[in-house]
Structure formats: structure tokens, C-alpha cells
Amino acid sequence: MASTIRAMTATEIRIRESRVDRIFNLVNYTILTVFLIVVLYPLIYVVSASFSDGSAVISGRVVLWPVDFSLLAYEKIFQYESIWTGYANSLFYAVVGTSVNIVLTLFAAYSLSRQDMYGRKIIMGFFVFTMFFNGGLIPTYLLVKDLGMLNTRAAMIIPQALSVWNLIIAIAYFRSAIPGELLEAARLDGCNDFQYFFRILMPLSTPIIAVLTLFYAINHWNQFFTALIYLSDKALFPLQLILRDILIQSQVDMNMMEDLQSMAAKEAMRELLKYALIVVASVPVLIIYPFVQKYFVRGIMLGAVKG
Amino acid sequence: MSTATTAIKAKTGASSPSRRRGNAWRQIKRSWQLYVFLALPVAWLLVFMYYPMYGAQIAFRDFLPGRTILGSEWVGLTHFIRFFNSPMFERLLSNTIGLSVYSLLVGFPIPILIALSLNQLRTGIFKRSVQMISYAPYFISTVVMVGLILQFLDLRRGPINLLLQWLGIDTVHFMGIADMFPDIYVWSGVWQNSGFNTVIYLAALSTIDPALHEAALVDGANRLQRIWHIDVPGIMPITLTLLILNMGQLLNVGFEKAFLLQNPLNLKTSEVISTYVYKVGLVGGVANFSYAAAIGLFNSVLGLLLLLAANQISKKFSETSLF
């Protein structure tokens, strides 16, 4: 019976696919295709330009694919020392910073996800309030300064040790994905709150740890402002600060240009370097991105549950 | 456990409020390990989030480096009044609000439209490609994003001006025209974030009961009618929630992008509150901490009020509210 009804609706759908719907589909596909091209084209252009010859780029001969294929820009970047110091520093901040983030977030999320904890709502309120109001840049800067963290690696990690938004996502995960009976059963077996966290909750938390790692790591990798205000020693600069000098202020290390004779060749190389650098800087994020996309989507959805 | 309760009972008598306090104490004692987990996060919260709120009082004092906060002279609203009377006040406020409102008007509806449109596609390679490719720009850092904008809009070597040249049209010095700054800021943001912002709406759309669509089909509704009468109401609560949150952010034009896009030619339209606070407080010879903190505090308080107002309005006209 049920199957006949379903079969009927299926045929009906085909019958009722009206003229309006066909026009709608056409328009819909057209709009999305245009949107796709608008997003994709600049990305392709950058990659193609970075693999082209400098003079082809600055004379506008690169349209879609690389013209006069060349790896020169990448060779230059490979020899560019400050870029690699920045890369190493960014990697350090991302790895250490994210580890600290994960520990603090999971600790706080575990306690705050427990309905039976006295004062949970008030403490949660204190966390959430900071999403909507904060002391501001100057008092925070003065605090970091008074703590003696100015111009140290700690300044890139400790003031950002926790994000309340990610905390909310983790709490939502513990509430929705871990059945409450698990705690009761563990309790009956004489498990205390420490043991429950480390032996039962953590092994079940791989998905949320993945989500948090990605959110935090990308945030650290892309971080620019913190470094700008807290760091002045070039040896500590993350990649983003180095990128800013080259991409935005056009300050290219002149040693890189030694072998080039004419002004035009230097200029072409400078532009070429920028395109290649954009690719190199985005590669770590864009490589892991397709693999982790589903986790990101999941994280956003968890966040949306709580609003 | 029971000895603790009796001890409290003995001390305070057995009236009902103290009994409740007794229960609370017992509850805390039983789950003390949970508070151990919370200790580090809460300590961090107090130091790095709440202490700066306490420190924000330098906005009402004449704070100089080397002095303590309480050791600085109390000057009341002097810094605020100076800011309200300065020629920068109006410019900063109109730039900041102008950029946010423009961003909201353009950037808020576009992801909704794309999500509704994507939702009409059957799951397949085209749908997946649109999603995957349109999410990608979101992960580009602000520095790289601004680098991209500058490359594309460059007067002599940018592809856009090269195209204009090729077409025989006069080239445009995009970054040098102050009036073009808001367009550049907002539309590059649309390019970067629209795709990713569809995620949340697509998630909401996936929770709509398919039976509603089947029933509407039987009644002869076409696709547009089904979008309007089923999909749009279905995502309304999350849309309103996001709208309230966005209203609360109206004064928080992100520092990074505005700062990195700034140049002497567009400063008239590109200087926003956050970049100005940074310049007044942390750049230049004279450290004007108190004045900068006052501007920052004004910004935070106004932002909070906006959020509360938006929340109140939403509560009144719909059932959606944050708190």
C-alpha cells in the first residue's frame, strides 16, 4: 500500500514538473554557474600567473592558463629566508597554540556540559558575556605588557588560549552526541569524574577534537593582528607579517633581485613573486581543506544548535 | 557526605534557605572534580577577559606608562568628551556604521539566496563542486586576501585594468579613490564569505520535513511556491538569530581588513573605530592609552546596546531571541 502511494507521487512529480519549474531550473543553474565562475576565476588566475613568465603577467597575456610556463618565482621563494622563518614560526604557533586551546576547551566544555554541576549556568553566563562585551584593545595590551609577555612567543598563544564560540560547539557536542546513560552506568561501576573524562569521554570525542583542531589551527595560521601588536622581533614573526611586507607594502628583499638587470625585469619578478607567494601561503590550508570540509560543516551545525 | 550536611544543619538551623544552601554545598562537594577541570579555563577567563574590563577604567583616568591604574588621576568623562568633540568622531562613526550596514545589506541576503538555490539541486557532482569551491576563499587569510585585492586592482599591472586597457577604456585607480573603498571592502567580503555562509542555511534547510514538500507537490505547488511557503519559513528562526548577532557586530568592523586596505588616499573612508584606536593607542611617539581606551570602551558599550536592542525588537515581533 505504502509503496503504491510512493510510486504515485513519483509519477505525479514528473507530470507536475510544470513550465514554471523548467524555467526555474534553467535560471537556477545559470545563477549558480555564474556564481561558481566568479568565485573560481580569481583562484585559477593566481595559480596560473604564478607559473607564468613575469613579463607575460604584467603585460596581461595571462588569461586563464599559464603563459610561457616558468617555475622561477617558486625558485626565488625557496631561497627567500624570511619566508621560511615565518613559515616555521607560524607552524610553531599553530601546533602549540592549538594544543593549549584543545586542552582548555575540552576541560571547560566537559564541566559545563554536566547538568548536575552546581553553578553551571552562572559560570556559563560569565563565558558567554565575553562574546558580547570586552575590555578593549588597550587594556588587553597593557595586561600582556605587564605580564612581561610582550615580544615573546607566549603572547601569540596564551591571550588566545580559549575561544568561547568553540567552547559552545564543544558543549553542544557533549550534550547531543554522548548519551547521558553512559555517565550513570559508569558511576554505578564506581567511575569518578576524572576517570569518566579520560577513559570514556575522550575516546568518544574524536569528531569534536577534529573540529576544534581545525577551527583553532586555521585561526592561528591566519593570525595577523596579535603578531602586529605584540611582536617586534623579526625572528618571532609569523608568516602573515612577512606576507604583509611583501604583498601589501611591496617590500621585497633586494638580494632576490640581484641577478636581474633591467628595472622592468625586477618589476615583473616582484609581481610574479606575489602571485607565487599567495599560492605558497595558502597551500597548507587548502591542502587539508577538502579532507576536513565535512568536519567544518559539522562544527558549524553544532554551533547553530545553540545559536 | 552526611556528616557535612548535619554539620551545616546544626550550624544554621533547619530553615528552608539554609537547607538549599546545604544541598548546594553537598552537590559541590560531590562533584569537586568538575571544578578542578574548570579551574584553568576560569582562571584564564578572569585574567584575560575580565581583568581588561577592570583595566578599561583607564578611560576615566590619565594613565601614563609606569604608573598603576589606581595611581592615575581620575578625570571622569574628559576623554569621552574630547572624542565626541573631535572632528574624527563623526567620520569614524559614519565610516564604521556605513561599512557594516552596507556589508549587512549585501552580504546577509546573498548566502540565503544561494543556499535556497543550492537546496533545489539534486545531490550530485555539480552541487558538490559549487559547495566545495565556494567555501574555499573563506580559509584564505586576511593578509593574502588583501594582497589579492591589491593585485587585481593594481593601476598598471592588475588584470582588471589590463582588461579595461584592452577594451580601450580609461584605467581606474581603484585603491586611490576614497569613494570606492566601501565597494571594494564589501564586495570582496561577499566573494570571500558568501559560499561559506550558506553552510548554516543549508543545514537548516536539511532539517525541513520532506513530507511538507510532498504534500505541496500533491496540491500542485511549483518550485517557487514551495521555496516561498516551505523553505523560507523553515529557515526563518536561524536567519533572525544570525541577524540579531550581526546587529550586535555593527560597530565591530574587523581591524585587519580595513587596516591592511588603508592607504593615504583612501583614509577618508577607510578609517574605522578599531584602526583608529590602534593608531592612537599603540602607534606613534606619544602613547595615548587613556584616550584610545575611551574610544574603545565607547565602541564596546554601544555595540552591546545595539545587540540588546536588536534582541528586544526580535523578541517583540517573533519568537526568536538570544536571551
Side-chain angles (χ1 to χ4, degrees):
Chain A
M1 193 63 189
S3 64
T4 33
I5 290 172
R6 201 159 300 138
M8 268 177 64
T9 21
T11 31
E12 266 191 301
I13 290 169
R14 223 167 296 133
I15 292 162
R16 295 193 192 227
E17 185 99 335
S18 63
R19 247 179 81 97
V20 183
D21 283 353
R22 257 173 288 147
I23 296 169
F24 175 89
N25 278 342
L26 194 69
V27 174
N28 197 22
Y29 272 99
T30 316
I31 292 173
L32 287 174
T33 308
V34 170
F35 173 64
L36 186 66
I37 293 170
V38 169
V39 174
L40 191 56
Y41 181 71
L43 300 176
I44 294 181
Y45 180 87
V46 170
V47 176
S48 297
S50 74
F51 286 109
S52 298
D53 182 66
S55 60
V57 174
I58 63 169
S59 60
R61 282 191 287 128
V62 176
V63 177
L64 188 62
W65 303 119
V67 176
D68 303 335
F69 186 87
S70 137
L71 287 170
L72 197 59
Y74 290 95
E75 279 168 31
K76 291 276 176 200
I77 286 180
F78 204 70
Q79 301 156 4
Y80 208 123
E81 206 178 317
S82 61
I83 291 176
W84 296 107
T85 332
Y87 232 93
N89 283 334
S90 283
L91 218 54
F92 175 86
Y93 299 136
V95 171
V96 179
T98 306
S99 315
V100 173
N101 289 145
I102 299 287
V103 171
L104 283 194
T105 308
L106 291 176
F107 278 8
Y110 168 53
S111 297
L112 293 171
S113 68
R114 288 276 297 264
Q115 310 275 7
D116 57 335
M117 193 184 76
Y118 186 79
R120 180 180 60 87
K121 281 204 171 129
I122 299 169
I123 301 172
M124 192 62 207
F126 271 98
F127 276 98
V128 173
F129 180 67
T130 62
M131 288 173 83
F132 305 120
F133 186 80
N134 60 68
L137 168 68
I138 305 296
T140 312
Y141 172 84
L142 291 173
L143 169 71
V144 171
K145 187 171 165 235
D146 287 345
L147 291 172
M149 290 202 290
L150 231 46
N151 215 11
T152 65
R153 289 182 189 272
M156 294 294 290
I157 291 161
I158 299 179
Q160 291 80 240
L162 187 71
S163 135
V164 176
W165 179 250
N166 288 342
L167 174 64
I168 291 175
I169 290 173
I171 292 173
Y173 176 84
F174 287 153
R175 287 242 183 98
S176 61
I178 314 281
E181 292 82 27
L182 213 54
L183 177 65
E184 285 164 32
R187 276 248 181 86
L188 283 179
D189 291 340
C191 182
N192 67 31
D193 291 335
F194 285 150
Q195 290 164 330
Y196 178 73
F197 178 82
F198 289 109
R199 295 213 185 140
I200 296 174
L201 203 55
M202 283 304 101
L204 292 172
S205 301
T206 325
I208 189 65
I209 294 176
V211 170
L212 293 175
T213 306
L214 298 166
F215 278 143
Y216 279 125
I218 289 204
N219 210 14
H220 281 290
W221 185 262
N222 288 346
Q223 184 72 261
F224 163 75
F225 184 55
T226 327
L228 177 74
I229 57 175
Y230 295 139
L231 300 182
S232 51
D233 180 359
K234 255 202 146 157
L236 299 178
F237 279 5
L239 183 62
Q240 301 299 330
L241 272 190
I242 312 282
L243 289 179
R244 179 239 198 167
D245 288 346
I246 301 171
L247 290 179
I248 294 167
Q249 301 181 330
S250 272
Q251 294 167 355
V252 175
D253 187 349
M254 276 307 144
N255 293 332
M256 291 289 112
M257 305 290 179
E258 265 173 351
D259 52 336
L260 300 168
Q261 299 305 318
S262 69
M263 277 308 280
K266 283 184 183 175
E267 206 176 292
M269 178 43 78
R270 183 153 43 208
E271 293 315 300
L272 203 55
L273 260 182
K274 288 184 187 174
Y275 285 114
L277 196 50
I278 289 173
V279 175
V280 170
S282 309
V283 154
V285 175
L286 292 180
I287 279 185
I288 53 164
Y289 160 66
F291 301 102
V292 300
Q293 190 202 353
K294 64 170 191 226
Y295 285 119
F296 263 108
V297 173
R298 205 158 156 185
I300 299 277
M301 282 160 74
L302 277 171
V305 177
K306 268 295 267 176
Chain B
M1 202 72 77
S2 60
T3 46
T5 339
T6 39
I8 289 167
K9 259 186 197 161
K11 221 192 300 179
T12 54
S15 64
S16 75
S18 68
R19 179 126 170 222
R20 217 176 299 143
R21 214 179 309 148
N23 277 337
W25 179 239
R26 198 166 51 187
Q27 233 180 332
I28 292 174
K29 253 193 104 172
R30 196 180 50 209
S31 51
W32 64 272
Q33 295 179 334
L34 293 179
Y35 298 92
V36 174
F37 278 113
L38 260 183
L40 209 54
V42 167
W44 176 86
L45 187 76
L46 291 176
V47 174
F48 287 96
M49 288 288 153
Y50 281 92
Y51 182 78
M53 289 185 205
Y54 167 81
Q57 61 173 288
I58 61 168
F60 303 97
R61 294 174 183 273
D62 257 335
F63 178 82
L64 292 169
R67 274 198 226 162
T68 61
I69 292 175
L70 294 177
S72 310
E73 193 192 346
W74 184 268
V75 294
L77 294 174
T78 315
H79 298 300
F80 292 90
I81 292 166
R82 183 178 148 209
F83 176 53
F84 299 150
N85 289 329
S86 89
M88 283 311 283
F89 175 67
E90 226 171 285
R91 194 209 277 188
L92 288 178
L93 214 57
S94 76
N95 283 351
T96 307
I97 294 178
L99 279 182
S100 320
V101 171
Y102 188 3
S103 292
L104 195 62
L105 285 178
V106 180
F108 194 75
I110 287 179
I112 300 178
L113 293 177
I114 295 171
L116 289 172
S117 155
L118 267 174
N119 191 48
Q120 291 299 318
L121 301 184
R122 247 167 251 155
T123 319
I125 191 144
F126 181 69
K127 186 177 181 181
R128 273 201 305 265
S129 326
V130 174
Q131 284 181 281
M132 186 151 146
I133 290 163
S134 68
Y135 297 169
Y138 176 83
F139 300 99
I140 295 173
S141 77
T142 313
V143 178
V144 170
M145 183 65 206
V146 172
L148 266 177
I149 296 171
L150 298 184
Q151 282 309 102
F152 274 86
L153 299 182
D154 191 272
L155 178 58
R156 282 176 300 138
R157 296 169 240 104
I160 294 182
N161 273 321
L162 288 172
L163 176 72
L164 292 180
Q165 245 172 22
W166 186 74
L167 292 171
I169 305 171
D170 283 343
T171 53
V172 184
H173 189 11
F174 294 100
M175 291 310 296
I177 304 168
D179 286 341
M180 295 198 88
F181 176 81
D183 299 318
I184 295 168
Y185 182 92
V186 169
W187 288 98
S188 61
V190 167
W191 180 80
Q192 187 172 18
N193 299 320
S194 286
F196 194 76
N197 288 342
T198 60
V199 171
I200 206 159
Y201 298 108
L202 285 172
L205 283 167
S206 70
T207 61
I208 291 174
D209 187 358
L212 287 174
H213 280 285
E214 276 164 33
L217 264 179
V218 172
D219 290 344
N222 65 36
R223 277 173 184 266
L224 272 177
Q225 287 167 323
R226 280 186 286 136
I227 291 176
W228 185 248
H229 293 288
I230 300 172
D231 289 346
V232 170
I235 59 171
M236 206 39 107
I238 188 73
T239 308
L240 282 173
T241 307
L242 289 176
L243 195 60
I244 301 171
L245 281 171
N246 273 300
M247 297 297 277
Q249 297 296 316
L250 275 188
L251 285 168
N252 296 344
V253 169
F255 170 88
E256 292 190 355
K257 194 171 166 191
F259 177 73
L260 290 166
L261 278 170
Q262 277 174 357
N263 63 44
L265 297 173
N266 66 17
L267 217 48
K268 202 175 81 187
T269 49
S270 63
E271 193 79 280
V272 292
I273 296 178
S274 57
T275 57
Y276 191 65
V277 168
Y278 166 76
K279 286 175 193 170
V280 169
L282 301 181
V283 188
V286 198
N288 227 330
F289 289 134
S290 282
Y291 186 49
I295 302 171
L297 189 61
F298 164 77
N299 193 23
S300 295
V301 171
L302 211 57
L304 185 62
L305 291 177
L306 271 175
L307 179 80
L308 292 175
N311 194 48
Q312 246 4 72
I313 293 169
S314 170
K315 216 184 225 173
K316 200 165 174 179
F317 292 105
S318 71
E319 278 167 13
T320 313
S321 74
L322 294 178
F323 31 77

